[in-house]
Amino acid sequence: MVVGAILHVNGNSTVRFSCRSNLDRSRSQLPAMVKVKAPESYWASLHADVEAHLRQAIPMKEPLVVFEPMHHLVFAAPRTAVPALCVAACEVVGGRRDQAMAAASALMLMQAATHTHENLPLTDRPKPRPMTDQVYDPNIELLTGDGIVPFGFEILAKSGQAGQSNSGAILRVIIEISRAMGSQGVIDGQYCKVLGTQSDGEDSCHEESKKNAIEKNGGRLHACGAACGAMLGGGSEEEIERLRRYGFYVGMIQGMLQLVETKDKGLMEQVEDLRNLALKELQAFDSSKIEPISCFINV
Amino acid sequence: MVVGAILHVNGNSTVRFSCRSNLDRSRSQLPAMVKVKAPESYWASLHADVEAHLRQAIPMKEPLVVFEPMHHLVFAAPRTAVPALCVAACEVVGGRRDQAMAAASALMLMQAATHTHENLPLTDRPKPRPMTDQVYDPNIELLTGDGIVPFGFEILAKSGQAGQSNSGAILRVIIEISRAMGSQGVIDGQYCKVLGTQSDGEDSCHEESKKNAIEKNGGRLHACGAACGAMLGGGSEEEIERLRRYGFYVGMIQGMLQLVETKDKGLMEQVEDLRNLALKELQAFDSSKIEPISCFINV
């Protein structure tokens, strides 16, 4: 299936990028210098690299009672674009893939911890979700989530120790991820969700919490991933902020398409507007590098 | 009340330190160069400084639904010696108190998060503890704990950004704290506690989990606090390792006195042995500086 997006370049000309297969057509419309790579395989390869990095980082070692659930819960959590976007942003600014690998792994770990805790059966959760993926006792899942988060920060801090020269960037990334995952980011989104649930079906509150979840779990978290990748790849401040905005639009699009049930014309127009804003941010980068990362808005 | 400890110096001579008041007597037994400071007020002043630092770091700002529970749960959690020991270790190696303040605050935050999650009423916790200090709904307490941990790492990382020169030490401290709080530290101790509870009263398992809790929550966490303080105060590798061992003994003593119910002669002899080992580690430091920190073993 071909999923295309319109790139509004300089507000006038348009370029159509093919995102899934049909490379011949997209090749004929790109400058000769562009090394064409199937974007879906680019995204898949980023995912695969982050997972491989994490599998090495979480060995099945003693105490098995600790590491076996951690291993399972990290790789069973739903995938998001955040870790891959982090690595892609690093590559767009000219960085090497391995420079962003620790941050991408940390982001994947933190999201797995959040997902694990979201599914805990607490006594004040009146309508427990279907526990299809609940393999361990709640006590163990609580503790595993609690163990995963510091482990993510450890991986990040260790990556700054090896070379030393990037310790400033690593500290900055730790601050970014702490904020995006913490009380003013994902956790705030979850608070709103809890309060939305407690309001027992009041539509306005439900809508408000959904909007907040899209912004915090979607927009801001993807923005954080992209900004962190750009920082670690050595991007300029302008590049970092452009990629932060690009990530924000990516996350908003993905959140809207996943969480809004009625995919009416109005929603799709909003999505299209966000795509255009996202692509506008990419215009400042080397044209040979923007094709792979532009795939994230073609979901 | 006077609580004294015997300092075995060079294996022969002994010096008695008064730890709580009765300063006149201790003064007469210390070299004239020793600037005597009531140790209990030293410890109290360290605690007060860390709390003041944290109160500034956690302002009562919007969203109040997030920050009000965070504020409450951080300051309602039981106090341990870990944050104060971190600052004391920094001062022993010649560092300034403010150099260790972010790490001490992060340690206090992480312990509050652990305490909050330990008291969550999960559906598979058969015997819920008395919920005397449970002010918020479990959902909110879960999320607050989840928000506190990244906030601790944020405070730490920010302290490395301000000056930049200590970014290497900060990264090292982040690794230390991640490990001590994570799956091979406090969380492992909690796993053992959960498994001990599930074994439904088997004494050997109960004893094993208690031993593990004393080592992970007591020994290793205090060791981490002291080592981090020494790193941030610019201590040498030898000083860091000495203070790590000192912290370990402090934590083991405190854990044994708190968790072991039968304070028989055997236990008190073990405690005394640990005190002697702890004081031996302090001998390498400037005699004018060891009095305040030696207070931690006189509990």
Side-chain angles (χ1 to χ4, degrees):
Chain A
M1 194 181 92
V2 182
V3 181
I6 308 297
L7 272 185
H8 290 269
V9 184
N10 299 326
N12 295 315
S13 54
T14 60
V15 180
R16 182 173 289 274
F17 276 165
S18 165
C19 191
R20 307 223 179 121
S21 74
N22 205 344
L23 283 173
D24 288 337
R25 200 178 61 146
S26 64
R27 223 175 238 132
S28 68
Q29 291 168 329
L30 288 167
M33 59 177 286
V34 177
K35 193 184 160 198
V36 176
K37 212 172 179 181
E40 89 277 23
S41 74
Y42 175 67
W43 188 338
S45 85
L46 297 179
H47 260 310
D49 276 10
V50 177
E51 282 213 5
H53 191 262
L54 263 181
R55 277 183 206 281
Q56 278 205 315
I58 313 175
M60 288 292 269
K61 62 179 179 183
E62 288 292 340
L64 270 185
V65 68
V66 174
F67 284 98
E68 202 273 324
M70 185 187 273
H71 207 271
H72 175 85
L73 292 167
V74 166
F75 295 107
R79 294 283 163 272
T80 74
V82 177
L85 187 57
C86 174
V87 185
C90 176
E91 293 195 327
V92 164
V93 299
R96 294 186 322 272
R97 192 170 288 198
D98 64 283
Q99 289 175 294
M101 210 45 79
S105 301
L107 285 162
M108 194 169 144
L109 286 166
M110 311 270 176
Q111 288 189 293
T114 301
H115 176 73
T116 302
H117 280 190
E118 255 189 331
N119 287 289
L120 280 179
L122 287 164
T123 52
D124 68 336
R125 286 183 173 173
K127 296 166 197 158
R129 299 154 187 236
M131 295 302 170
T132 46
D133 57 350
Q134 198 135 26
V135 177
Y136 305 96
D137 288 340
N139 251 326
I140 298 297
E141 296 212 349
L142 170 69
L143 288 175
T144 306
D146 283 345
I148 289 173
V149 173
F151 183 57
F153 285 108
E154 182 188 339
I155 287 184
L156 255 176
K158 268 162 69 180
S159 75
Q161 282 230 308
Q164 291 290 356
S165 64
N166 67 337
S167 57
I170 294 286
L171 286 174
R172 204 172 157 193
V173 165
I174 290 174
I175 296 170
E176 290 276 345
I177 294 181
S178 301
R179 287 183 183 161
M181 295 307 304
S183 300
Q184 291 187 290
V186 171
I187 299 291
D188 183 34
Q190 287 186 306
Y191 266 103
C192 294
K193 217 191 261 178
V194 167
L195 296 178
T197 315
Q198 283 171 348
S199 75
D200 224 14
E202 274 175 38
D203 270 0
S204 66
C205 201
H206 179 64
E207 282 311 308
E208 194 55 39
S209 84
K210 200 177 274 180
K211 206 176 129 192
N212 208 308
I214 292 172
E215 197 192 313
K216 300 283 164 67
N217 275 323
R220 290 208 201 168
L221 194 51
H222 288 73
C224 162
C228 289
M231 285 170 197
L232 294 166
S236 67
E237 289 308 310
E238 195 204 318
E239 288 174 326
I240 292 166
E241 291 316 312
R242 276 193 186 281
L243 284 162
R244 188 193 298 282
R245 289 192 294 273
Y246 177 74
F248 183 80
Y249 299 133
V250 168
M252 290 300 286
I253 292 170
Q254 300 208 346
M256 284 164 79
L257 293 178
Q258 277 163 27
L259 291 181
V260 180
E261 282 129 33
T262 325
K263 309 249 178 324
D264 57 14
K265 201 183 156 202
L267 180 83
M268 296 319 287
E269 276 173 8
Q270 279 185 55
V271 166
E272 200 50 39
D273 287 347
L274 288 167
R275 273 202 186 108
N276 291 334
L277 288 166
L279 289 166
K280 219 168 163 187
E281 296 298 342
L282 294 186
Q283 287 169 28
F285 295 93
D286 181 345
S287 64
S288 69
K289 285 182 174 159
I290 61 175
E291 196 209 347
I293 199 173
S294 70
C295 183
F296 287 91
I297 48 169
N298 301 324
V299 285
Chain B
M1 196 179 90
V2 181
V3 180
I6 308 297
L7 270 186
H8 290 269
V9 185
N10 299 326
N12 296 316
S13 54
T14 61
V15 180
R16 182 172 290 273
F17 276 165
S18 165
C19 191
R20 310 228 174 117
S21 73
N22 205 345
L23 283 173
D24 287 338
R25 199 177 62 145
S26 65
R27 223 175 238 131
S28 68
Q29 290 168 331
L30 288 167
M33 60 177 286
V34 176
K35 192 185 162 196
V36 175
K37 211 174 183 181
E40 87 279 21
S41 72
Y42 175 66
W43 189 338
S45 85
L46 296 180
H47 260 310
D49 276 10
V50 177
E51 282 213 4
H53 191 260
L54 262 180
R55 276 183 207 282
Q56 278 205 314
I58 313 177
M60 289 292 268
K61 62 178 178 184
E62 289 293 341
L64 270 185
V65 67
V66 173
F67 284 97
E68 201 276 324
M70 186 187 274
H71 207 272
H72 175 85
L73 292 167
V74 166
F75 295 106
R79 293 284 162 270
T80 76
V82 177
L85 187 57
C86 174
V87 185
C90 176
E91 292 194 328
V92 164
V93 298
R96 295 187 320 273
R97 191 170 287 199
D98 64 283
Q99 289 175 293
M101 210 43 82
S105 301
L107 284 162
M108 193 170 146
L109 286 167
M110 311 270 176
Q111 288 189 293
T114 301
H115 175 74
T116 303
H117 280 190
E118 256 189 329
N119 287 290
L120 280 180
L122 286 166
T123 52
D124 68 336
R125 287 184 172 171
K127 296 163 195 160
R129 301 154 187 235
M131 296 303 169
T132 45
D133 58 351
Q134 199 136 25
V135 177
Y136 306 96
D137 288 339
N139 250 327
I140 299 298
E141 295 211 350
L142 171 69
L143 288 175
T144 306
D146 283 345
I148 288 172
V149 174
F151 182 57
F153 285 108
E154 183 188 336
I155 286 184
L156 255 176
K158 268 162 69 180
S159 76
Q161 283 229 307
Q164 290 289 354
S165 64
N166 67 338
S167 57
I170 293 287
L171 286 174
R172 205 172 157 192
V173 164
I174 291 174
I175 295 171
E176 290 277 343
I177 295 181
S178 301
R179 287 183 182 159
M181 295 306 305
S183 300
Q184 292 188 290
V186 170
I187 299 291
D188 183 34
Q190 287 186 307
Y191 266 102
C192 294
K193 215 190 263 179
V194 167
L195 296 178
T197 315
Q198 281 170 349
S199 75
D200 225 13
E202 276 176 36
D203 270 0
S204 64
C205 200
H206 180 66
E207 280 312 309
E208 194 56 37
S209 83
K210 199 176 275 181
K211 208 177 127 192
N212 207 309
I214 292 172
E215 196 192 314
K216 300 282 165 67
N217 274 324
R220 291 208 200 167
L221 194 51
H222 287 74
C224 163
C228 289
M231 286 171 196
L232 293 166
S236 67
E237 288 307 312
E238 195 204 317
E239 287 175 326
I240 292 166
E241 293 314 312
R242 276 193 186 282
L243 285 163
R244 187 194 298 283
R245 288 192 293 273
Y246 177 74
F248 183 80
Y249 300 133
V250 168
M252 290 300 285
I253 292 169
Q254 301 208 343
M256 285 163 80
L257 293 178
Q258 276 163 28
L259 290 181
V260 180
E261 282 128 31
T262 325
K263 309 251 178 323
D264 58 15
K265 201 183 155 202
L267 179 84
M268 296 318 288
E269 277 173 7
Q270 279 183 57
V271 166
E272 200 51 39
D273 287 348
L274 287 169
R275 273 201 186 110
N276 291 334
L277 288 167
L279 289 166
K280 219 168 162 187
E281 297 297 342
L282 294 186
Q283 286 169 29
F285 295 92
D286 182 346
S287 63
S288 70
K289 285 184 174 159
I290 61 176
E291 196 211 345
I293 199 173
S294 71
C295 182
F296 286 91
I297 50 172
N298 301 324
V299 284

